[in-house]
Amino acid sequence: MHKRSTIPVFILILISVFFSSSSAYNLTLNNTPAQVYFSPKGGCTNAIVKEIDNATLEVLVQAYSFTSAPIAKALVNAKKRAVNVEVIADKSQKKDPKKKGASYTSATFLANMGIPTYIDSAHAIAHNKIIIIDKQVVITGSFNFSKAAEESNAENIIILKNPELASIYIDNFLKHKAHSEKLAPRY
């Protein structure tokens, strides 16, 4: 099997970044359609919501920080359309309701909305920022699913449409789900 050099792909990305006037950069990486977005205010949240809104089968999420109301709402709407939605969040998203001042997190909100939500405490930080849609679309990058990531931070996402890549990410999701604790709803 002949492997292609990654240098032409890197050059293609650089060219598209410097010469595109759009907030989204559309390209093809080795026959895989891709879109790249940058924040602040580069449309990352809207791109994620659009992909979730197009889901028909399944949305799997791994999140470190998750405070984005539009993304949470899109996940709830997907569940209402009978799309299987599951979320794995970092342990920082689990708050002890018995502690004074315990906050209500997006993880709690999703669990309360009937979305299976898991807490991954097996790592110092479960720093993933991944969404897998319909076993074909992978959204990843440095972008935390938060308002600050969209409005204030310098972050990025790449949306890749490739079933083989999605399969690898699904395997990783299932490995993390296996050692995660299901979050009970808290009303």
Side-chain angles (χ1 to χ4, degrees):
M1 176 183 224
H2 176 69
K3 289 198 169 205
R4 288 181 169 180
S5 168
T6 58
I7 293 173
V9 171
F10 177 72
I11 291 170
L12 177 64
I13 291 172
L14 282 179
I15 290 169
S16 71
V17 168
F18 288 114
F19 295 105
S20 177
S21 61
S22 169
S23 62
Y25 303 98
N26 297 299
L27 54 145
T28 302
L29 305 172
N30 299 328
N31 298 319
T32 296
Q35 293 177 300
V36 178
Y37 294 82
F38 297 97
S39 66
K41 300 178 182 142
C44 294
T45 298
N46 287 340
I48 291 168
V49 168
K50 179 182 172 190
E51 292 295 329
I52 294 169
D53 286 349
N54 290 328
T56 59
L57 176 67
E58 177 177 74
V59 179
L60 304 176
V61 179
Q62 287 180 269
Y64 170 65
S65 176
F66 191 154
T67 60
S68 172
I71 295 172
K73 182 180 176 185
L75 293 172
V76 170
N77 288 340
K79 182 186 180 339
K80 288 177 181 177
R81 294 190 317 270
V83 173
N84 176 52
V85 179
E86 295 184 45
V87 175
I88 301 173
D90 178 67
K91 63 187 170 199
S92 65
Q93 297 297 296
K94 181 181 179 187
K95 305 295 182 186
D96 184 351
K98 295 175 188 166
K99 285 189 177 180
K100 187 176 181 179
S103 63
Y104 188 82
T105 68
S106 290
T108 308
F109 170 75
L110 294 170
N112 286 351
M113 296 305 293
I115 293 174
T117 304
Y118 302 86
I119 300 298
D120 187 347
S121 299
H123 310 282
I125 298 175
H127 210 241
N128 290 300
K129 298 136 179 139
I130 303 163
I131 301 176
I132 311 139
I133 300 172
D134 291 345
K135 303 181 187 310
Q136 296 192 35
V137 177
V138 175
I139 303 170
T140 191
S142 67
F143 189 81
N144 283 303
F145 308 131
S146 69
K147 183 176 181 178
E150 180 63 41
E151 295 181 1
S152 306
N153 299 349
E155 301 196 32
N156 68 82
I157 61 167
I158 186 166
I159 302 171
L160 301 159
K161 297 183 179 180
N162 181 299
E164 185 178 4
L165 180 65
S167 176
I168 294 166
Y169 274 91
I170 290 168
D171 288 345
N172 181 67
F173 179 93
L174 294 173
K175 287 176 188 172
H176 285 276
K177 180 180 169 184
H179 63 245
S180 296
E181 167 194 357
K182 189 167 185 182
L183 186 61
R186 183 182 73 158
Y187 302 101

